[in-house]
Amino acid sequence: MNETFQSAFDSIDFDHWREISLESSAADVERALRGGSRGLDRFAALLSPAAAERLEDLARLAHHITVQRFGRVVQLYAPLYVSNECVDTCTYCGFSREHQIERVTLTPEQVESEAQVLLDEGFRHLLLVSGEHPRIVSTGYLAEVVQRLRPRFASIGIEVAPQTEEGYRRLIEAGVDSLTVYQETYDRRLYATYHLGGRKKNFDWRLATPERAARAGMKRIGIGSLLGLADWRRDGLATFFHAQWLQKHCWRSQIQVSVPRLQEALQAIDAPVRVKDVEVVQLVCALRICLPDLGIVLSTREDAAFRDGLLPLGITQMSAGSRTEPGGYEAPNTDAEQFEVADRRTPAEVARRLNELGYEAVWKDWEATLHGAA
Amino acid sequence: MEQRDSRVETTSTSTSSITIHVNGRAMTVERDCPLPRLIENLGLDRRFLVVEYNGEARRREDFDTLVLKEGDRLELVRPVAGG
Amino acid sequence: MDPALRIGDREFHSRLIVGTGKFPSGESMRSAIESSGTEIVTVALRRVDAQAQGDDILDFIDTERVLLLPNTSGAQNAEEALRLARLARAAGMPSWVKLEVTPDLRYLLPDPVETLRACELLVADGFTVLPYMPADPVLAKRLEEAGAATVMPLGSPIGSNQGLRTEASLEIIIEQATVPVVVDAGIGAPSHAARAMEMGADAVLVNTAIAVAGDPAAMAAAFAQAVRAGRSAWEAGLAPERREAEASSPLTGFLEATEG
């Protein structure tokens, strides 16, 4: 039975579900909190304006479930940008092809020295990030970089151009165990207005990426939408539906969701739809309540105070001390950032703050050797 | 139950009879005896009856064309009560 | 109206599957099947016995109205299960099979390894496979991947009438399943069946509890009502026990500080 996500996705009218959410009653919210509804019904009620009235109740339930399932533990990771080369034209991204910035691709040796800075700060979980450039940032290049880093990191994730199943098999063989791929927005019409050129124009190819990675054996798969590109409820509903489908069909992989909010990209484009803090909080709570085992990842796009507040509501992983330009750990250059980092705390400061909030910062979770790694 | 056809039960060793196994029991029958006649003689004609002939399941439509030969092994099987 | 139960390429309106074993007589089985409203009955396959006394059960089953679902009881391994299934198909029954590999004759517990192997062989041979299985969530997903049309986890051992001793596992199986979940074996009372349906099971399979009842037909009717009641409760949004949220300091206070 090899149903694809796209066939399930195309059968759902998310505009309609957004309407249902907007029209949810207090009784719908009460039933959703008690677990009397399921799936999109429940999620729509928890994203509703009616539920926003009871945000504290949502938060308490989300907190309770999180502590029950994950304890008071947060996994720390660091993004490492290996290249800002890109063939795609995306209106919201600092790396978009038409931007006149210095294009840098780190050699494997440079990646290792960047990684050393992160190792010295205690990181054992790494997320390799790059623009999409089949020739310069090829699967082979990525495999070689991963191969070099693998012995010293417990977990290596990638947030790069979508690969084929075979490509993911090669990267997993080299040592990759997690993938992050945001659909950006699940609204096809708006997606087309943001992605004007390059391979990223292909909505369906990107949508099926998590399934290809799962078939190749990827351990952890992270999805999400860039809040602000479209209506946050509509994209929140679609992200939930995608995560739930993946949990059921790709049950060998651990599924995660991130809720990145559009900040100022390099060229100050103002976010088409400004998503408020309370809305991000509501989305995180709804995700935690409806998908208790879901990993929820918090990036450094948010400022320190907001991140500390979101923590107890369901966060299981967060980045710290991030630089979003290639070579940025050794030679910071804020002009070349993919996006502006709002939380400028050092990893150590983040870890200290976590302890103050009663949380344990976990730097190294997976034991690489446990999974047949080198 | 009418008296069973004696030829089926003969113990004579004339070349006109052959030995086969039915549901695990040895039995001698007339050479070239067609399967439907054996079933009829054994009074086993039931709905949903099926024969496993030398290890291979045979549908009822195939019964008529099936002629028994020396050493054949038959399992006559049908649905019974079960959970 | 309850959307129909879809298994393989067929749809059913009854979510109660009835086994035909252990009935005192053909007539009592017939009336129980009728009052249960079932559309699927299971049967076993055995060697024909000319001297067999007692009723021929097929004279008491309206095979126009109910689907005869042959099981592979008696099979000790995958090959024997395939052999029995092929015999059932050759006998003119639909190429559906309740896969049952139970080498443990004391408790009739299903062998997970042979069940998975048999499922692969049967699906490859064109069968619609409904595997009776231990209530193991990982095995359920493996059977789904092998092409099973449903998964049929046990509530408790066959004929034990102990009800849902595997509730925690059933809950996970139901939550993760992408095929219908039929709770089969051990359901001893209508309340057990209702409980399974309240949890979100798609159907239940009951045999012993009906067949050995004082009045099998009346018991079958009771089970039919219990299955419908449980299903309606689930659809009406039955909430699991209230998981008390811990009282703790306001969690969203930080929003006042930010732009809210």
Side-chain angles (χ1 to χ4, degrees), chain C residues 184-229:
Chain C
D184 170 19
I187 291 185
S191 56
H192 299 153
R195 180 64 195 134
M197 299 306 288
E198 284 170 355
M199 289 170 59
D202 295 282
V204 295
L205 195 159
V206 181
N207 185 165
T208 304
I210 292 176
V212 304
D215 178 344
M219 183 57 80
F223 267 97
Q225 288 166 41
V227 168
R228 279 196 300 275

Side-chain angles (χ1 to χ4, degrees), chain A residues 107-340:
Chain A
T107 63
E109 294 70 27
Q110 286 170 320
V111 174
E112 279 189 281
S113 58
E114 275 281 291
Q116 191 54 53
V117 174
L118 296 172
L119 282 167
D120 297 344
E121 282 172 339
F123 286 106
R124 293 298 174 275
H125 279 240
L126 199 59
L127 175 66
L128 299 179
V129 186
S130 84
E132 172 156 15
H133 200 298
R135 187 171 50 76
I136 298 174
V137 190
S138 63
T139 307
Y141 162 81
L142 290 167
E144 193 196 337
V145 164
V146 171
Q147 196 87 41
R148 288 177 179 239
L149 298 176
R150 176 181 184 171
R152 288 171 291 162
F153 283 92
S155 165
I156 300 176
I158 50 172
E159 184 176 355
V160 298
Q163 308 281 314
T164 60
E165 183 178 329
E166 192 34 49
Y168 284 125
R169 217 180 294 283
R170 236 179 109 195
L171 290 170
I172 290 166
E173 184 57 41
V176 171
D177 65 11
S178 37
L179 163 72
T180 299
V181 55
Y182 300 144
Q183 190 60 24
E184 313 300 8
T185 175
Y186 286 87
D187 180 323
R188 282 181 188 275
R189 192 178 47 75
L190 286 177
Y191 184 93
T193 64
Y194 297 126
H195 302 98
L196 306 177
R199 289 153 54 108
K200 197 163 180 180
K201 270 171 74 78
N202 188 331
F203 181 93
D204 294 339
W205 170 252
R206 191 173 189 81
L207 192 69
T209 301
E211 288 154 85
R212 288 199 302 279
R215 279 197 298 274
M218 190 70 74
K219 282 273 167 306
R220 266 204 299 265
I221 297 173
I223 61 172
S225 38
L226 190 50
L227 297 177
L229 292 183
D231 176 81
W232 73 277
R233 278 195 181 84
R234 193 187 189 288
D235 268 341
L237 284 156
T239 305
F240 159 78
F241 185 70
H242 199 180
Q244 183 182 47
W245 191 93
L246 290 171
Q247 281 191 335
K248 264 192 176 183
H249 290 80
C250 309
W251 54 280
R252 288 184 171 83
S253 308
Q254 199 249 329
I255 305 303
Q256 301 177 178
V257 164
S258 186
V259 287
R261 188 165 39 167
L262 199 61
Q263 306 290 358
E264 300 318 310
L266 194 63
Q267 265 61 25
I269 66 153
D270 42 21
V273 177
R274 182 81 189 96
V275 179
K276 294 203 282 293
D277 289 356
V278 284
E279 291 164 345
V280 177
V281 167
Q282 189 172 357
L283 178 55
V284 168
C285 291
L287 284 168
R288 173 54 64 228
I289 292 168
C290 291
L291 297 171
D293 305 307
L294 184 73
I296 300 181
V297 182
L298 189 54
S299 76
T300 45
R301 287 173 187 262
E302 300 299 343
D303 65 46
F306 188 65
R307 291 178 87 198
D308 294 348
L310 267 180
L311 198 60
L313 308 182
I315 301 306
T316 55
Q317 238 191 53
M318 63 191 284
S319 57
S322 307
R323 301 298 318 176
T324 64
E325 71 281 10
Y329 289 111
E330 287 183 301
N333 164 12
T334 53
D335 295 338
E337 289 172 325
Q338 186 193 25
F339 56 80
E340 193 195 332

Side-chain angles (χ1 to χ4, degrees), chain A residues 34 36 56 248 252 277, chain C residues 141 145 237 242 251-252 258:
Chain A
R34 289 179 166 283
E56 184 61 25
K248 264 192 176 183
R252 288 184 171 83
D277 289 356
Chain C
K141 295 307 279 186
E145 280 174 345
R242 182 94 170 81
L251 288 160
T252 53
T258 65

Side-chain angles (χ1 to χ4, degrees), chain C residues 92-162:
Chain C
M93 287 187 269
S95 56
W96 282 45
V97 60
K98 172 185 171 180
L99 171 57
E100 224 179 293
V101 183
T102 48
D104 151 21
L105 296 182
R106 186 160 170 224
Y107 293 102
L108 291 176
L109 292 173
D111 175 332
V113 177
E114 288 303 307
T115 299
L116 181 58
R117 211 162 60 80
C119 185
E120 285 154 358
L121 294 174
L122 287 163
V123 168
D125 205 31
F127 283 92
T128 297
V129 183
L130 293 78
Y132 164 58
M133 54 170 278
D136 173 339
V138 177
L139 178 62
K141 295 307 279 186
R142 298 287 301 268
L143 284 166
E144 267 179 31
E145 280 174 345
T150 72
V151 286
M152 302 218 290
L154 60 87
S156 51
I158 290 178
S160 69
N161 293 351
Q162 293 172 47

Side-chain angles (χ1 to χ4, degrees), chain C residues 77-91:
Chain C
N77 57 45
E79 285 68 25
E80 287 177 4
L82 182 59
R83 182 181 167 204
L84 280 167
R86 283 176 170 164
L87 279 170
R89 181 164 56 186

